C-alpha cells in the first residue's frame, strides 16, 4: 500500500488507533484527533521512514502525547502513546520516554529498569499525581508533579541508580509532613542523585549500606519539618551541596533545615562530625544543621555519645541537666554546650589528647577535687567558656602539658585552677575567678603564661609553690587583682617571677612588698611597671576613675584605650539622646569634643594610646542639637575660647553651661553660667573648664557642630597630676 493518506478523523483509542504494517508507504497523517488510554499510533514496520514523525505531531491533536525513544535518542518504531504509564508498560531497557507539554492525570509506577522519563519542555509536562520508582537506574527529568493528598510525590521504592533531575515537585502545604521526593517507609535506597530540582515539601531518604547519595543544587520550600533529612546506614557517602532551603519547619517544632540521623561514612568528603556540620553550613544556603548521632538532648546520655564517637568528632549538647560524670577518652574530641552554661553536668575528666571542653555548667556540692580534671599526662587540651561553682578545685591539671584554659568563670571554690607538679606550658587567659578560699590560680610547674584574668575576693590571686622547676619562662601579665585579695601574688619559690603590667586594684600599685595601696605581693615578685602606672611603657597616658559615677572626656585624639576594673555601666549622650550601645560609647570615649558617663564598682584605671596626628587631626567635632548636650573641651588652655563657635548671637547659641563637678575629675566648685552673665561683646574668659572633664551646654536655635582644638599629646605626668 502506497501514498496512504489518513485525514480529519477522530480516534478514541482503548487499544490501538492506527497500526502501520509492513509495506505501507505513508503520504500523510494530518488533521486527526487522538484521545483515550490506548496507543494512538504504532508503526510495526522494521524499517519505517522517520521523516513523517514531526508532521504527525504538528498536524494532529492528541489528548496526551508520549514518544518512546531508544537509548540513542531515535524513535523506536514511531510509537506514540496516549498516556505516560502506557509508554512505560511498553518500554524496555535503554528507552527514553519523552513527554510533550500538557496535563497528565496519572499515578505513575516506573517498574522497568534503565529507562529515562523526560519532559520535552522543562516543567511543561504536568503530572497531576505521583511517580513511584520500583526499578533500578531510572531517571525522571524535567516534570512538574503535583498532588494534594499523597505523602510522597516522587517515591524511591528500594531502588538503586535513581536520578531525579530538573523537576518541580509541589506537595500541598497542609498539616501533614509531605515529601516532595524520597521514601518514608519500605526498603532502603541505593545510589541516588537528586539535582537541580524545585521542591515544595521535604527531601528525605533512607540510604542503605554503601550507597552514594547526591543532593545538589535544589531549592526546598515549605517543608513541614526539616527541609532535607537522611537516615543513612553505615558506609554511606553523602554529597549535599548548593541547596537552598526556605520556610521549613511549618509545624513550629524548632527544627533544623538539614538533619542527618545516623553517622555516614562522609558528608562532602568530610569524615568528622564537626567538619561534616561545618561543610553543610558552608556549602548550602542554610543556617541550621542537626547531626542527630553527634547531638545530645536533655534526657539522653552524653557519655553514650562520647563512647560512640570517633577521634576528631564534635558532640553538641542541648540545654538540660545531665546527672553524669563524663570521661572524655577520644583524641581530638570536641564536647560543646550549644547554649553557653545551659548544659549542666557533674564532672568532666579529660583522658585523651587535644580535647576541647566548651561552655558547660558544673555545679558541685563542695566535695569534688576537679570539676574538670586532666589525668594521664595529656596534651593539647582546651578548657573554655565553662561556669564552675562549689567544688574543691575548679580545674585540676594533674600532669598535662600544652593546655589552654580560657574564658571560664569559677566561683566559690577552695582553688580555682591548679597546675600541679608535673604540668608545664599552659596558657591561662581571660578567666574570672572569685571567692577562692585558698588561691585563684596555683602554679607548681614551669613555662606558663597567665594573662588577662580577673582574680577577686579570694585569699590569694596567684600562688607559686616551691619546687625544682624554673620560673624563667613563666609570665604573669595583664591580670586584674581586686584589692580585697590578701595576696595578689604569693611566691614561695626563691626565684623572681615576672609579674609586670598587672592591675593591682589601685593606681599606686601593689602593697605588701610593693609601696602602693593595691593588692599585696610577696617577695620575689617583679611588679613594675604595673599596668596603667604613670609614666609606664604600655600607654601614653593613664587616668584614674573613682568608685561611682564619673564623667570622662578624652584629652587628645585617641587610637586605643583600655579599662581595668569592674564597670557597672556607662552612658553617652549624643545628638540622638542617651545611648548605651558599646560601639557608640567607644567612639564617644575617644572623642575630645564629647564625654561619657562611667559608673565604676571600684577604682578603675584607664589607659590611652594617642592617635597619630596628620593633616586635619588637630580638630575634634561633635554634632549638637537644640537643647542640652554633653561635651568635652579639648586640650587648649583658654576654656571659653574653646566654645567660641557656639557663642550666643542673634538669638542662637549657648544659653547655659553647667559643670557636673561631683562627677568630674577636676572637682572645682560647682557652677552654672547663664547667658545673662555672658556679655556678647566680651566673651567670658574665666578658665574654669578643664580637659578630661565633661560639661552640659544648652543650645538654642539651629543645630551646631561643636569643634575643639586638639593638640598632639603633651606631658603625660601633667595630665595625670591634673586628673588626680
Amino acid at each position: 500500500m502506497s501514498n496512504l493518506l489518513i485525514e480529519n478523523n477522530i480516534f478514541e483509542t482503548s487499544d490501538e488507533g492506527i497500526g502501520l504494517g509492513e509495506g505501507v508507504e505513508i503520504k500523510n497523517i494530518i488533521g486527526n484527533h487522538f484521545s483515550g488510554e490506548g496507543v494512538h499510533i504504532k508503526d510495526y514496520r522494521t524499517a519505517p521512514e522517520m521523516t513523517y514523525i514531526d508532521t504527525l505531531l504538528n498536524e494532529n491533536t492528541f489528548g496526551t502525547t508520549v514518544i518512546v525513544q531508544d537509548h540513542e535518542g531515535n524513535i523506536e518504531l514511531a510509537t506514540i502513546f496516549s498516556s505516560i504509564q502506557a509508554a512505560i508498560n511498553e518500554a524496555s531497557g535503554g528507552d527514553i520516554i519523552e513527554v510533550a507539554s500538557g496535563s497528565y492525570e496519572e499515578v505513575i509506577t516506573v517498574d522497568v529498569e534503565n529507562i529515562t522519563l523526560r519532559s520535552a519542555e522543562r516543567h511543561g509536562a504536568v503530572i497531576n499525581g505521583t511517580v513511584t520508582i520500583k526499578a533500578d537506574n531510572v531517571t525522571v527529568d524535567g516534570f512538574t508533579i503535583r498532588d494534594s493528598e499523597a505523602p510522597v510525590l516522587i517515591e524511591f521504592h528500594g531502588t538503586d541508580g535513581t536520578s531525579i533531575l530538573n523537576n518541580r515537585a509541589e506537595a500541598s502545604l497542609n498539616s501533614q509532613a509531605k515529601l516532595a521526593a524520597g521514601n518514608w517507609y519500605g526498603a532502603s535506597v541505593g545510589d541516588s542523585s537528586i539535582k537541580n530540582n524545585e521542591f515544595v515539601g521535604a527531601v528525605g531518604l533512607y540510604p542503605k549500606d554503601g550507597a552514594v547519595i547526591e543532593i545538589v543544587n535544589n531549592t526546598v520550600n515549605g517543608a513541614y519539618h526539616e527541609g532535607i533529612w537522611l537516615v543513612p546506614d553505615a558506609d554511606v557517602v553523602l554529597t549535599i551541596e548548593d541547596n537552598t532551603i526556605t520556610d521549613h519547619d511549618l509545624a513550629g517544632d524548632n527544627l533544623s533545615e538539614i538533619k542527618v540521623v545516623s553517622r555516614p561514612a562522609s558528608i562532602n568528603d568530610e569524615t568528622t562530625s564537626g567538619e561534616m556540620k561545618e561543610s553543610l553550613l558552608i556549602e548550602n544556603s542554610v543556617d541550621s544543621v542537626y547531626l542527630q548521632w553527634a547531638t545530645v538532648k536533655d534526657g539522653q546520655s552524653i557519655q553514650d555519645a562520647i563512647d560512640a564517637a570517633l577521634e576528631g568528632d564534635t558532640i553538641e549538647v542541648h540545654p538540660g541537666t545531665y546527672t553524669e560524670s563524663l570521661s572524655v577518652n577520644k583524641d581530638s574530641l570536641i564536647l560543646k554546650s550549644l547554649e553557653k552554661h545551659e548544659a549542666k553536668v557533674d564532672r568532666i575528666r579529660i583522658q585523651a589528647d587535644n580535647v576541647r571542653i566548651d561552655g558547660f555548667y558544673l555545679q558541685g556540692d563542695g566535695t569534688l577535687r576537679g570539676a574538670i580534671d586532666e589525668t594521664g599526662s595529656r596534651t593539647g587540651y582546651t578548657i573554655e567558656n565553662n561556669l564552675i561553682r562549689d567544688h574543691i578545685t575548679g580545674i585540676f591539671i594533674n600532669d598535662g602539658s600544652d593546655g589552654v584554659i580560657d574564658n571560664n568563670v569559677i566561683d566559690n571554690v577552695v582553688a580555682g585552677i591548679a597546675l600541679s607538679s608535673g604540668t608545664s606550658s599552659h596558657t591561662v587567659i581571660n578567666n574570672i575567678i572569685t571567692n577562692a578560699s585558698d588561691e585563684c590560680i596555683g602554679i607548681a610547674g614551669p613555662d606558663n603564661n597567665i594573662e588577662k584574668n580577673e582574680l577577686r575576693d579570694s585569699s590569694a590571686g596567684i600562688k607559686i609553690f616551691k619546687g625544682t622547676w624554673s620560673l624563667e619562662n613563666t609570665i604573669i601579665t595583664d591580670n586584674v587583682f581586686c584589692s580585697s585579695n590578701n595576696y595578689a601574688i604569693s611566691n614561695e619559690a626563691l626565684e623572681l617571677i615576672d609579674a609586670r603590667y598587672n592591675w593591682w586594684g589601685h593606681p599606686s600599685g601593689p602593697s605588701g612588698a610593693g609601696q602602693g595601696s593595691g593588692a599585696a605581693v610577696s617577695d620575689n615578685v617583679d611588679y613594675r611597671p604595673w599596668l596603667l602606672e604613670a609614666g609606664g611603657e604600655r600607654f601614653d597616658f593613664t587616668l584614674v576613675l573613682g568608685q561611682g559615677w564619673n564623667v570622662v572626656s578624652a584629652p587628645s585624639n585617641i587610637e586605643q584605650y583600655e579599662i581595668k576594673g569592674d564597670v557597672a555601666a556607662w552612658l553617652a549622650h549624643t545628638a540622638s539622646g542617651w545611648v548605651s550601645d558599646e560601639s557608640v560609647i567607644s567612639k564617644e570615649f575617644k572623642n575630645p569634643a564629647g564625654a561619657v558617663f562611667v559608673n565604676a564598682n571600684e577604682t578603675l584605671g584607664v589607659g590611652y594610646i594617642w592617635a597619630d596626628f596628620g593633616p586635619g587631626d588637630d580638630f575634634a567635632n561633635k554634632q549638637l542639637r537644640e537643647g542640652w548636650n554633653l561635651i568635652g573641651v579639648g586640650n587648649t588652655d583658654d576654656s571659653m575660647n574653646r566654645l567660641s563657635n557656639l557663642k550666643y548671637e542673634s538669638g542662637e547659641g549657648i544659653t547655659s553651661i553647667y559643670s557636673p563637678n561631683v562627677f568630674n575629675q577636676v572637682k572645682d566648685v560647682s557652677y552654672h553660667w547663664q547667658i545673662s552673665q555672658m556679655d556678647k561683646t566680651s566673651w567670658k574668659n574665666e578658665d574654669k573648664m578643664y580637659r578630661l572633664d565633661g560639661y552640659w551646654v544648652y543650645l538654642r536655635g539651629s543645630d551646631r557642630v561643636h569643634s575643639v582644638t586638639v593638640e598632639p599629646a603633651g606631658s603625660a605626668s601633667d595630665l595625670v597630676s591634673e586628673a588626680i
Side-chain angles (χ1 to χ4, degrees):
M1 183 181 295
S2 61
N3 294 319
L4 177 64
L5 174 64
I6 304 174
E7 184 177 12
N8 297 328
N9 300 285
I10 296 175
F11 295 92
E12 179 71 33
T13 58
S14 59
D15 182 19
E16 185 177 291
I18 298 175
L20 303 175
E22 291 289 354
V24 173
E25 295 180 9
I26 299 172
K27 178 180 180 180
N28 225 331
I29 302 175
I30 60 173
N32 303 284
H33 178 73
F34 297 87
S35 62
E37 297 300 321
V39 177
H40 296 323
I41 301 170
K42 187 161 185 178
D43 195 334
Y44 291 95
R45 297 173 296 170
T46 56
E49 67 273 22
M50 309 304 292
T51 57
Y52 75 95
I53 295 299
D54 288 340
T55 301
L56 181 69
L57 295 175
N58 293 327
E59 300 298 332
N60 298 273
T61 59
F62 298 86
T64 53
T65 304
V66 179
I67 306 170
V68 177
Q69 298 178 329
D70 64 18
H71 64 283
E72 294 178 350
N74 300 314
I75 303 297
E76 183 178 327
L77 298 180
T79 305
I80 302 175
F81 291 91
S82 59
S83 70
I84 300 172
Q85 189 64 58
I88 293 170
N89 294 342
E90 294 292 326
S92 58
D95 283 347
I96 300 172
I97 300 175
E98 185 169 294
V99 181
S101 296
S103 183
Y104 299 80
E105 305 290 331
E106 298 190 57
V107 175
I108 294 168
T109 299
V110 185
D111 52 7
V112 180
E113 291 187 1
N114 193 31
I115 67 170
T116 296
L117 197 62
R118 183 172 65 203
S119 174
E121 180 183 355
R122 183 169 179 170
H123 302 160
V126 180
I127 300 173
N128 293 308
T130 60
V131 177
T132 301
I133 301 169
K134 293 186 175 181
D136 293 341
N137 302 311
V138 169
T139 297
V140 178
D141 185 354
F143 290 87
T144 296
I145 304 169
R146 300 174 177 145
D147 190 277
S148 61
E149 300 297 334
V152 185
L153 293 187
I154 306 173
E155 183 174 5
F156 298 49
H157 202 276
T159 54
D160 194 3
T162 303
S163 295
I164 307 299
L165 312 174
N166 307 307
N167 301 282
R168 177 186 292 148
E170 302 173 356
S172 62
L173 301 181
N174 58 24
S175 60
Q176 300 181 37
K178 294 294 186 70
L179 277 183
N183 66 316
W184 276 120
Y185 309 108
S188 299
V189 301
D191 295 354
S192 303
S193 181
I194 303 174
K195 294 182 177 180
N196 307 319
N197 300 281
E198 300 172 20
F199 293 130
V200 176
V203 176
L205 290 174
Y206 288 80
K208 64 185 178 183
D209 192 11
V212 176
I213 306 295
E214 296 177 300
I215 303 175
V216 177
N217 199 36
N218 304 282
T219 61
V220 181
N221 178 54
Y224 193 67
H225 291 141
E226 296 87 1
I228 297 173
W229 57 260
L230 299 106
V231 187
D233 288 344
D235 296 325
V236 170
V237 175
L238 299 178
T239 300
I240 306 173
E241 296 176 336
D242 300 319
N243 300 286
T244 300
I245 300 176
T246 58
D247 296 330
H248 79 296
D249 192 25
L250 298 184
D253 294 329
N254 195 29
L255 300 177
S256 62
E257 289 155 301
I258 297 176
K259 177 174 76 171
V260 183
V261 173
S262 46
R263 185 189 197 102
S266 66
I267 299 178
N268 300 339
D269 296 323
E270 303 294 350
T271 57
T272 66
S273 59
E275 291 171 334
M276 290 178 188
K277 180 173 182 178
E278 183 179 7
S279 175
L280 288 171
L281 289 168
I282 292 173
E283 299 298 335
N284 299 276
S285 295
V286 298
D287 296 317
S288 57
V289 170
Y290 176 37
L291 305 183
Q292 184 169 313
W293 85 89
T295 307
V296 183
K297 294 187 176 182
D298 196 14
Q300 299 174 335
S301 169
I302 302 173
Q303 189 63 56
D304 287 350
I306 294 172
D307 294 341
L310 302 179
E311 289 185 7
D313 271 354
T314 299
I315 297 174
E316 297 181 327
V317 182
H318 281 258
T321 299
Y322 301 84
T323 308
E324 296 185 83
S325 291
L326 306 176
S327 294
V328 183
N329 51 16
K330 304 288 176 65
D331 284 351
S332 303
L333 189 76
I334 298 173
L335 191 62
K336 179 179 178 61
S337 173
L338 280 174
E339 295 185 28
K340 187 176 178 180
H341 303 163
E342 294 299 323
K344 184 177 178 181
V345 299
D346 296 335
R347 187 181 194 184
I348 301 174
R349 174 159 287 178
I350 297 172
Q351 297 178 308
D353 294 336
N354 302 311
V355 165
R356 176 150 62 96
I357 310 298
D358 185 353
F360 288 87
Y361 178 20
L362 296 100
Q363 174 68 56
D365 59 5
T367 62
L368 285 179
R369 188 196 73 164
I372 300 176
D373 71 344
E374 170 276 334
T375 61
S377 301
R378 304 302 172 183
T379 65
Y381 39 82
T382 299
I383 302 169
E384 62 184 358
N385 304 316
N386 301 285
L387 172 61
I388 300 171
R389 286 191 174 128
D390 302 332
H391 286 269
I392 294 176
T393 308
I395 298 172
F396 192 94
I397 307 301
N398 283 277
D399 44 16
S401 61
D402 298 303
V404 176
I405 303 173
D406 182 13
N407 200 38
N408 301 281
V409 177
I410 303 173
D411 178 59
N412 197 30
V413 291
V414 176
I417 298 171
L419 306 177
S420 62
S421 59
T423 66
S424 65
S425 303
H426 286 85
T427 297
V428 180
I429 186 170
N430 295 322
N431 301 282
I432 299 174
I433 305 175
T434 56
N435 297 306
S437 59
D438 283 355
E439 66 277 348
C440 295
I441 300 174
I443 302 173
D447 303 333
N448 297 295
N449 186 27
I450 315 297
E451 63 175 307
K452 298 181 181 178
N453 303 284
E454 293 190 22
L455 311 176
R456 303 174 178 278
D457 304 323
S458 302
S459 179
I462 297 174
K463 186 173 183 179
I464 302 170
F465 294 90
K466 292 180 179 179
T468 58
W469 62 89
S470 171
L471 294 178
E472 180 180 358
N473 295 320
T474 291
I475 298 174
I476 301 172
T477 190
D478 284 307
N479 300 283
V480 172
F481 297 94
C482 180
S483 58
S484 62
N485 293 84
N486 291 332
Y487 270 96
I489 299 178
S490 174
N491 185 5
E492 296 180 355
L494 299 179
E495 188 177 352
L496 188 69
I497 184 70
D498 184 351
R500 294 172 294 167
Y501 303 110
N502 292 283
W503 173 251
W504 306 104
H506 195 275
S508 61
S511 59
Q515 304 299 312
S517 301
V521 296
S522 70
D523 293 334
N524 296 317
V525 176
D526 182 7
Y527 58 85
R528 293 196 71 173
W530 56 83
L531 195 63
L532 307 181
E533 180 179 3
E537 300 173 7
R538 290 281 187 92
F539 298 97
D540 296 312
F541 166 60
T542 60
L543 178 67
V544 179
L545 305 183
Q547 188 173 10
W549 282 101
N550 301 261
V551 177
V552 186
S553 180
S556 183
N557 283 328
I558 303 301
E559 175 67 27
Q560 183 180 338
Y561 67 89
E562 186 171 341
I563 296 179
K564 290 296 182 181
D566 189 9
V567 177
W570 51 357
L571 291 169
H573 191 274
T574 68
S576 58
W578 288 106
V579 293
S580 57
D581 180 80
E582 187 171 343
S583 62
V584 176
I585 290 175
S586 179
K587 184 177 180 180
E588 196 77 356
F589 204 82
K590 297 177 181 179
N591 182 10
V596 172
F597 277 89
V598 181
N599 188 8
N601 284 330
E602 59 191 17
T603 302
L604 301 180
V606 183
Y608 291 107
I609 297 175
W610 308 130
D612 292 335
F613 267 70
D617 289 338
D618 52 351
F619 285 93
N621 301 299
K622 179 174 180 176
Q623 179 69 46
L624 306 186
R625 301 287 190 226
E626 184 173 21
W628 286 105
N629 298 268
L630 183 63
I631 66 168
V633 292
N635 199 20
T636 57
D637 296 325
D638 187 346
S639 62
M640 295 312 302
N641 283 338
R642 303 172 199 181
L643 302 179
S644 60
N645 61 320
L646 303 176
K647 184 177 179 180
Y648 183 79
E649 292 180 315
S650 302
E652 292 191 351
I654 294 176
T655 61
S656 294
I657 301 173
Y658 177 70
S659 169
N661 70 304
V662 174
F663 306 126
N664 276 340
Q665 300 300 302
V666 183
K667 293 179 171 52
D668 205 339
V669 61
S670 177
Y671 54 81
H672 185 181
W673 294 324
Q674 297 287 351
I675 192 62
S676 59
Q677 298 171 298
M678 301 181 187
D679 190 294
K680 287 189 293 183
T681 59
S682 58
W683 185 252
K684 189 175 178 65
N685 197 34
E686 186 176 355
D687 191 11
K688 282 193 175 182
M689 302 181 78
Y690 301 92
R691 55 191 173 186
L692 302 174
D693 289 343
Y695 299 90
W696 289 103
V697 297
Y698 192 89
L699 180 68
R700 178 174 294 173
S702 58
D703 297 344
R704 297 282 188 90
V705 174
H706 170 46
S707 180
V708 299
T709 301
V710 180
E711 299 172 355
S715 166
S717 59
D718 289 346
L719 286 170
V720 170
S721 63
E722 182 181 38
I724 296 175

